[in-house]
Amino acid sequence: MLARLGATRLLEIRQALRLTPQASRSFSTALNYHLNTPDNNPDLPWEFTAANKEKVKEIISHYPSNYKQSAVIPLLDLAQQQHGGWLPVSAMNAVAKVIEVAPIRVYEVATFYSMFNRSPVGKYHLLVCGTTPCMIRGSREIEDSLLKHLGVKRNEVTKDGLFSVGEMECMGCCVNAPMITVADYSNGSEGYTYNYYVGQ
Ligand code: FES
């Protein structure tokens, strides 16, 4: 009931403000709330490619048949790679269908883990570690330099669609602080890479 009231209220605010899709996205991200936009709504068809359908089978084969919902994280990861680095609601629904759970079970996971992006990112998504050891070793200054160089704010995409900069929590490489990760979505899931770099 409360959720429905909240959704109605948000819709009214959105209509009153006549939010553009980009503004709707920022609004949704700030409130951790999904609002339908032309490029992110449950009516957009989405399915795994033929090659990825084979990968889906392989991923699910790692789990007992009555626990295939445990494959939710690797399947979301694959869907994100296929979709250029982010997860529209229709991709999350496709994952829910594969593992035969209610879509909310997939949304809960995708909204909890910061490795899943729910709005578009650049072909090269740079993630700067924001946890204490990296911060002490200058990660904030590195992030500021990247944002200044690219002319964007955190989580914004450059106009050419190539770069975006986000923050990540400890990458488990504190001994090499400060750390940066580059997720490369420029070649789909086939050519996807995710590499760590030492920031100094
Ligand atoms: S704090 Fe940055 S890798 Fe651990």
Side-chain angles (χ1 to χ4, degrees), residues 128-136 139 168-180 196:
V128 182
C129 179
T131 308
T132 312
C134 284
M135 206 163 68
I136 291 170
S139 65
M168 200 170 187
E169 295 309 319
C170 181
M171 299 175 185
C173 292
C174 322
V175 69
N176 295 312
M179 292 298 300
I180 297 178
Y196 280 16

Side-chain angles (χ1 to χ4, degrees), residues 57-192:
K57 278 190 210 154
E58 198 266 329
I59 289 169
I60 287 183
S61 73
H62 295 196
Y63 302 89
S65 57
N66 54 335
Y67 283 108
K68 61 181 175 179
Q69 66 269 30
S70 301
V72 63
I73 287 181
L75 292 179
L76 281 172
D77 188 35
L78 183 62
Q80 179 164 274
Q81 292 167 27
Q82 177 178 311
H83 201 76
W86 68 288
L87 287 168
V89 70
S90 52
M92 292 190 274
N93 290 347
V95 169
K97 204 166 160 195
V98 168
I99 56 176
E100 296 175 14
V101 297
I104 186 64
R105 294 292 173 220
V106 177
Y107 306 159
E108 285 166 349
V109 175
T111 55
F112 180 79
Y113 291 103
S114 59
M115 64 187 276
F116 296 123
N117 307 310
R118 289 177 302 111
S119 56
V121 296
K123 282 186 194 301
Y124 305 97
H125 187 45
L126 318 177
L127 291 156
V128 182
C129 179
T131 308
T132 312
C134 284
M135 206 163 68
I136 291 170
R137 296 277 294 157
S139 65
R140 283 273 187 267
E141 288 77 7
I142 290 173
E143 185 187 6
D144 287 346
S145 300
L146 285 170
L147 295 174
K148 194 170 164 203
H149 181 74
L150 295 169
V152 289
K153 295 190 188 126
R154 185 189 284 175
N155 295 324
E156 258 183 14
V157 182
T158 53
K159 286 199 175 64
D160 57 10
L162 283 179
F163 297 100
S164 52
V165 180
E167 187 191 21
M168 200 170 187
E169 295 309 319
C170 181
M171 299 175 185
C173 292
C174 322
V175 69
N176 295 312
M179 292 298 300
I180 297 178
T181 290
V182 179
D184 178 350
Y185 298 104
S186 60
N187 292 303
S189 44
E190 290 306 313
Y192 173 69

